[in-house]
Amino acid sequence: SNASSDADFEPPLQSTRGLSVLSVDMRAMDNKKAHNTSRYKNTSLIVRRNKEFILIIRFDRPFNNQQDNVQIEFMIGSSPDENRGTYITVFIGKEKRDGRWNGRVIGTQGNDVTVGITPDASCIIGRFRTFVTVMTDLGKQRTARNPDTDFYVLFNPWDPADLVYVSRDTDRHEYVLNDVGIIYNGEYNNISSRSWNYGQFEEGVLDACLLVLDAGKVPLLYRGNAIELVRQGSALMNSQDDNGVLVGNWSSDYSIGTAPTAWTGSPEILLKYAKDGGLPVCFAQCWVFAGVLNTFLRCLGIPARVVTNFASAHDNTGNLKTDIILDENGGVSRSRTRDSVWNYHSWNEVYMRRPDLPEKYSGWQVVDSTPQETSDGLYRCGPTSVNAIKDGELSYPFDARFVFAELNSDVIYYQSDKYGNTKIIQVDTTYVGKLLVTKRVNSNAYDDITSTYKYPEGSDKDRQAMQMAERRGIAPRDYIPLAETGVHIELQGDIIKMGENFKLTLNIKNQTSQKCTLGATITGCVVYYTGVTSSIFKLESKAASVDPWKTTKVMIDVKASEYMPYLLEQSNLLFVVYGRIQETGMALTTMRVVALRPPELTIKVYVTGTPRVGKDFMVTVSFRNPFNFILKNVQLRLESPGLILTKLKTYDQIAPGGTLQYTDTITPQYPGKKVLMACLDCATVRQVTNQLEIFVQ
């Protein structure tokens, strides 16, 4: 279209007659390509802020920019207000005024005018309505409300002017555009993982994310500020105090909802929340909160990833001490131990500039929506700078102290006698915050990101960070150092499948010049992934004598028949060794979690040639019950973003040795890499998952 310059010739007289708008074309297809939003399954236009988009207005006669006076109005929310950025005017034609958004006439052709609009870099995120108003001496003539001209504005990680800018394209592809991911779990000696469908582009998900903000009554004014939006989002993912998206439940009774381990992705949860009009969805544990928050963030255009911290302290007293109290037999005292070390805890990181902090604290920020502790009165956590946590610089907003404790708490073992008196028997400064991982960019492996959160254990920098944390109000390590026993004990075990007998090895290392005799009690109990203990299934005593400077191995046999009747949730066993050296009377202790591997789930695809758009193929999910008991009320989920919505099947029971096979026919609508994810779940076996990548031509 050629821009006609009206300055050179006298305008013909007929252009002074009234002007009417016939149509407004939002050019959704072209604009979405340019704005990296074409993957959203949503017919409306979706743009990113501070980047121009094009629309075409068709009038009933040629537009004359010297004489015609037209304004395009964009509104969001129920009471648009110019001062609050919820009512925006862009002028085209004879009246030129600067507004929040930039507008320009790109060209005219016949009765069509092509206009470029650029929402400002701090523009509110959400769904705007579009109106075109013709101004005449007789008044204003505004187009009628038309949902087809509504459009969404999102954050723009492609633009250096946006707080969430990310410079590397590969990072944007992973942290903004990847709609599947991997969440790591298990325990640090034996890392497992599960695929998660973030599904931020699935139909209805963008509207559901905006509904979360509406239901949480987040003021529109805040919705352009990434820091504020992230903080609100962390509160709104949990139902504590604001009817947020998910109800946390660690009780192992999920009868009135879906077990946290049974979900395979976020869309099913967000769409249910939206369909039920903002009713919290039952139930979630940490990785579900993190998975859904990740979808919410990526969907709105904020770069985000899920991080897992292995051996994560949840210290209820907030003093960098995780107190584990042993009873007189040497087992963990359930009634007296209030703190716990979670085998793993998953949270999110978002990437953003923090203009409110010194420059070096921009970059990755922790946000955690699992309801553990309140922050400013609500269950939320973050954003808090990862770099600040590493330096022990805990005075900056938000919630740095809590995150620091999750990573740096000391485990303090106490022995209590039958009268309830306790004394410290051991301090372990290295048990907590063992390893932090996240999915690697463009790969299914994990990245070890521990060094972004902490300096090497025992280094000068590590000591400096701890001193800084103490200056910033963390209670100092004030307990008296214990006399060295000179004897070191540790428990070792291999990767063990659920339902198998296994052996643990107790290594006793004598680092003294005297022979030592150790009497040890080994307690085995079933434990939740949150470190909360349940039934004790094993209590055994062993004795060994160790020569000077030597190591002795003691084998401990564990039979499936001992632990299987007591298993719960994610099949974790906790073994605590409490030992006493006969010669000196000194006590020592150690603990080890064994995460049992669940049975296998198999996914197979049957296709002639390669999978193609519009061509059916078959997928089967199969499972064999390896146990000698019936599995009851079994749920099976299968989903894949961009391929199929969540399919849910329920089975009354699977007999011992019995098999289940589910077959489905899929017709791909879109080309590219797809990930099929399946999960089988029932009360006695959790975390049975698998995934399969296919490429659709």
Side-chain angles (χ1 to χ4, degrees):
S1 66
N2 57 349
S4 63
S5 149
D6 291 315
D8 303 342
F9 59 89
E10 277 299 299
L13 284 169
Q14 95 267 5
S15 70
T16 52
R17 78 178 162 81
L19 184 68
S20 299
V21 178
L22 299 181
S23 67
V24 179
D25 178 1
M26 303 303 281
R27 309 293 294 159
M29 288 275 289
D30 300 345
N31 283 318
K32 278 171 153 170
K33 260 199 197 70
H35 285 251
N36 296 294
T37 58
S38 25
R39 288 178 61 193
Y40 287 89
K41 296 191 183 64
N42 186 315
T43 50
S44 300
L45 171 61
I46 302 168
V47 300
R48 297 189 187 274
R49 58 193 195 172
N50 208 38
K51 184 175 173 65
E52 187 174 67
F53 66 92
I54 306 293
L55 49 90
I56 296 176
I57 305 169
R58 174 163 291 179
F59 295 105
D60 61 344
R61 63 161 171 79
F63 173 73
N64 177 334
N65 71 2
Q66 298 295 300
Q67 296 193 358
D68 291 328
N69 192 2
V70 172
Q71 59 183 37
I72 310 170
E73 299 166 313
F74 303 107
M75 306 181 194
I76 188 169
S78 51
S79 45
D81 175 346
E82 225 160 340
N83 296 324
R84 291 175 168 269
T86 53
Y87 174 70
I88 282 140
T89 315
V90 171
F91 293 87
I92 60 168
K94 70 176 183 188
E95 195 178 338
K96 291 275 187 290
R97 264 197 262 158
D98 283 344
R100 280 177 191 252
W101 294 13
N102 228 351
R104 65 185 183 115
V105 173
I106 293 171
T108 56
Q109 192 165 22
N111 295 352
D112 289 355
V113 179
T114 303
V115 180
I117 304 284
T118 310
D120 63 296
S122 55
C123 163
I124 289 167
I125 298 311
R127 182 174 177 141
F128 285 82
R129 309 182 289 282
T130 306
F131 299 93
V132 180
T133 301
V134 177
M135 328 272 273
T136 65
D137 299 343
L138 302 171
K140 295 183 174 187
Q141 187 189 0
R142 177 183 276 144
T143 51
R145 163 97 177 93
N146 176 5
D148 292 345
T149 60
D150 288 2
F151 66 102
Y152 299 82
V153 178
L154 306 180
F155 289 98
N156 191 352
W158 279 259
D159 187 331
D162 202 308
L163 283 189
V164 300
Y165 172 65
V166 174
S167 58
R168 288 223 306 266
D169 196 49
T170 46
D171 287 348
R172 290 191 295 257
H173 272 271
E174 184 67 61
Y175 301 131
V176 184
L177 298 179
N178 197 349
D179 56 0
V180 295
I182 295 170
I183 300 179
Y184 295 93
N185 54 27
E187 53 96 30
Y188 73 95
N189 293 299
N190 175 11
I191 296 173
S192 343
S193 65
R194 60 183 300 159
S195 285
W196 192 263
N197 172 10
Y198 296 127
Q200 66 268 37
F201 306 121
E202 298 303 287
E203 197 174 336
V205 168
L206 175 54
D207 287 321
C209 291
L210 295 174
L211 174 86
V212 169
L213 295 172
D214 292 343
K217 301 190 172 48
V218 176
L220 285 163
L221 203 56
Y222 286 172
R223 297 191 196 181
N225 177 344
I227 299 168
E228 189 60 52
L229 196 95
V230 161
R231 184 152 173 76
Q232 299 273 354
S234 94
L236 295 172
M237 284 308 115
N238 65 69
S239 63
Q240 255 92 332
D241 53 43
D242 48 24
N243 276 336
V245 179
L246 284 155
V247 181
N249 181 345
W250 283 265
S251 74
S252 64
D253 176 4
Y254 310 119
S255 47
I256 64 162
T258 299
T261 40
W263 302 111
T264 38
S266 311
E268 183 182 2
I269 293 165
L270 286 163
L271 295 173
K272 180 172 170 43
Y273 180 76
K275 185 172 129 270
D276 297 348
L279 191 70
V281 177
C282 300
F283 289 109
Q285 289 173 6
C286 69
W287 69 94
V288 185
F289 287 113
V292 177
L293 181 56
N294 215 53
T295 299
F296 172 84
L297 296 164
R298 286 186 186 179
C299 186
L300 299 179
I302 298 174
R305 61 188 186 182
V306 174
V307 168
T308 298
N309 176 30
F310 287 98
S312 191
H314 184 180
D315 118 41
N316 281 303
T317 39
N319 60 359
L320 271 210
K321 298 186 184 73
T322 299
D323 297 333
I324 307 283
I325 297 161
L326 307 182
D327 56 26
E328 52 266 42
N329 298 325
V332 175
S333 163
R334 284 173 69 185
S335 55
R336 306 197 49 196
T337 300
R338 282 184 48 224
D339 296 342
S340 65
V341 180
W342 295 30
N343 292 357
Y344 63 89
H345 177 42
S346 299
W347 59 64
N348 304 75
E349 285 180 359
V350 296
Y351 195 85
M352 57 170 64
R353 270 209 321 279
R354 290 290 301 267
D356 55 329
L357 305 184
E359 202 172 323
K360 64 174 178 173
Y361 299 134
S362 287
W364 289 111
Q365 314 284 320
V366 174
V367 232
D368 188 346
S369 57
T370 297
Q372 301 183 86
E373 301 288 329
T374 57
S375 166
D376 299 337
L378 296 181
Y379 279 94
R380 57 182 168 192
C381 174
T384 188
S385 159
V386 173
N387 291 342
I389 288 163
K390 183 172 181 174
D391 289 343
E393 188 45 274
L394 309 183
S395 49
Y396 294 119
F398 297 89
D399 312 307
R401 194 171 298 190
F402 180 72
V403 179
F404 187 83
E406 290 180 295
L407 298 156
N408 293 295
S409 204
D410 292 340
V411 176
I412 303 175
Y413 296 96
Y414 295 81
Q415 166 86 55
S416 66
D417 61 19
K418 56 178 181 289
Y419 306 110
N421 305 312
T422 59
K423 66 172 197 288
I424 295 181
I425 49 172
Q426 194 153 330
V427 175
D428 189 339
T429 58
T430 63
Y431 189 86
V432 165
K434 271 278 197 293
L435 173 69
L436 291 106
V437 300
T438 188
K439 179 189 174 304
R440 185 173 293 173
V441 171
N442 200 16
S443 152
N444 287 342
Y446 66 77
D447 262 337
D448 176 347
I449 56 168
T450 315
S451 64
T452 63
Y453 280 88
K454 49 203 319 198
Y455 291 102
E457 198 73 52
S459 65
D460 284 349
K461 289 273 204 194
D462 181 37
R463 277 192 291 277
Q464 285 162 16
M466 195 46 91
Q467 284 160 1
M468 174 60 84
E470 288 172 8
R471 286 207 291 278
R472 295 289 177 253
I474 285 269
R477 295 173 162 168
D478 54 0
Y479 29 84
I480 294 113
L482 298 165
E484 284 297 322
T485 58
V487 179
H488 182 72
I489 58 173
E490 69 161 354
L491 273 177
Q492 280 184 315
D494 291 326
I495 290 177
I496 298 137
K497 277 193 185 145
M498 187 176 164
E500 288 185 342
N501 301 333
F502 62 92
K503 283 181 171 25
L504 286 174
T505 310
L506 175 63
N507 291 325
I508 309 162
K509 192 174 183 182
N510 182 359
Q511 292 162 303
T512 72
S513 55
Q514 313 294 311
K515 180 176 171 180
C516 84
T517 315
L518 184 79
T521 312
I522 295 101
T523 317
C525 64
V526 173
V527 63
Y528 291 88
Y529 88 96
T530 56
V532 174
T533 56
S534 180
S535 323
I536 291 179
F537 65 85
K538 190 173 187 66
L539 190 60
E540 192 177 327
S541 296
K542 294 275 188 189
S545 60
V546 191
D547 289 335
W549 313 111
K550 289 279 188 290
T551 299
T552 296
K553 291 184 184 313
V554 177
M555 302 310 282
I556 300 150
D557 281 305
V558 184
K559 299 223 170 346
S561 56
E562 294 177 291
Y563 67 78
M564 283 302 285
Y566 299 105
L567 276 193
L568 41 83
E569 296 292 297
Q570 299 169 43
S571 323
N572 297 301
L573 309 176
L574 171 69
F575 293 92
V576 178
V577 179
Y578 171 70
R580 195 170 273 281
I581 301 164
Q582 270 175 15
E583 289 79 358
T584 61
M586 291 174 97
L588 62 170
T589 184
T590 186
M591 62 181 176
R592 170 74 190 251
V593 174
V594 172
L596 301 169
R597 282 276 158 122
E600 302 285 307
L601 188 67
T602 310
I603 309 180
K604 284 204 171 84
V605 163
Y606 299 94
V607 59
T608 44
T610 54
R612 285 187 178 284
V613 171
K615 195 171 110 182
D616 289 2
F617 68 85
M618 301 260 286
V619 59
T620 65
V621 181
S622 49
F623 173 81
R624 180 183 161 274
N625 176 4
F627 306 116
N628 58 4
F629 51 87
I630 299 172
L631 301 180
K632 296 191 176 120
N633 299 328
V634 179
Q635 282 197 345
L636 180 69
R637 272 180 176 72
L638 176 69
E639 65 176 299
S640 176
L643 196 58
I644 50 167
L645 292 172
T646 314
K647 309 266 185 171
L648 170 62
K649 297 287 283 180
T650 49
Y651 301 87
D652 291 339
Q653 57 176 48
I654 309 173
T659 55
L660 161 161
Q661 186 161 335
Y662 166 69
T663 303
D664 198 13
T665 302
I666 295 177
T667 316
Q669 307 289 316
Y670 305 93
K673 187 177 86 171
K674 308 289 168 206
V675 183
L676 283 157
M677 296 168 230
C679 174
L680 177 134
D681 196 80
C682 67
T684 39
V685 189
R686 308 268 188 216
Q687 294 285 58
V688 179
T689 67
N690 205 347
Q691 62 282 327
L692 181 67
E693 281 186 13
I694 61 166
F695 199 83
V696 176
Q697 299 281 343

